Amino acid sequence: MGLERELVMMERAARQAAEAALRRRAGGITADTKADGSPVTQADRESERIITSILRDAFPQDGILGEEWGETPSRSGRRWIVDPIDGTRDYVRGNGCWSVLIGLEAD
């Protein structure tokens, strides 16, 4: 099974999410604390919305498990796993040790 389209869409989603996070960071960051004690920012939430929107439009039958917004069940046997800003503590501190993570789980 070729995954060329999936890779193209994943890269598009990751780039757009990272660009949004960088724009937010330039304007200053405030973080809330999740129930588990970890930080979450508006950039986390916005980036996940961007990613899930792109992936849902491209692959409407696939499920999505996002760190910030929870899970949408799969009807295809595939599930996208999204961490919109992996390394939120570093993101909040203003250093470059963070990334956008997107994975595809199949079967």
Side-chain angles (χ1 to χ4, degrees), residues 2 4 10 12 15 27 30 32 39 41 44 55 60 62-63 65 68 70 73 75 98 100 104-105:
E4 291 81 12
M10 185 186 314
R12 180 178 298 159
R15 285 185 186 278
T30 57
D32 297 321
T41 67
D44 288 285
L55 295 177
D62 291 359
L65 173 61
E68 309 310 331
R75 296 183 308 264
W98 61 275
V100 175
L104 176 60
E105 175 183 67

Side-chain angles (χ1 to χ4, degrees), residues 21 36 42 54 58 64 81-82 104-105:
D36 67 1
Q42 282 303 108
I54 290 169
I64 300 176
I81 301 169
V82 177
L104 176 60
E105 175 183 67

Side-chain angles (χ1 to χ4, degrees), residues 29-42 44-45 88 92:
I29 300 296
T30 57
D32 297 321
T33 303
K34 295 194 273 187
D36 67 1
S38 64
V40 62
T41 67
Q42 282 303 108
D44 288 285
R45 295 178 182 115
T88 300
V92 169

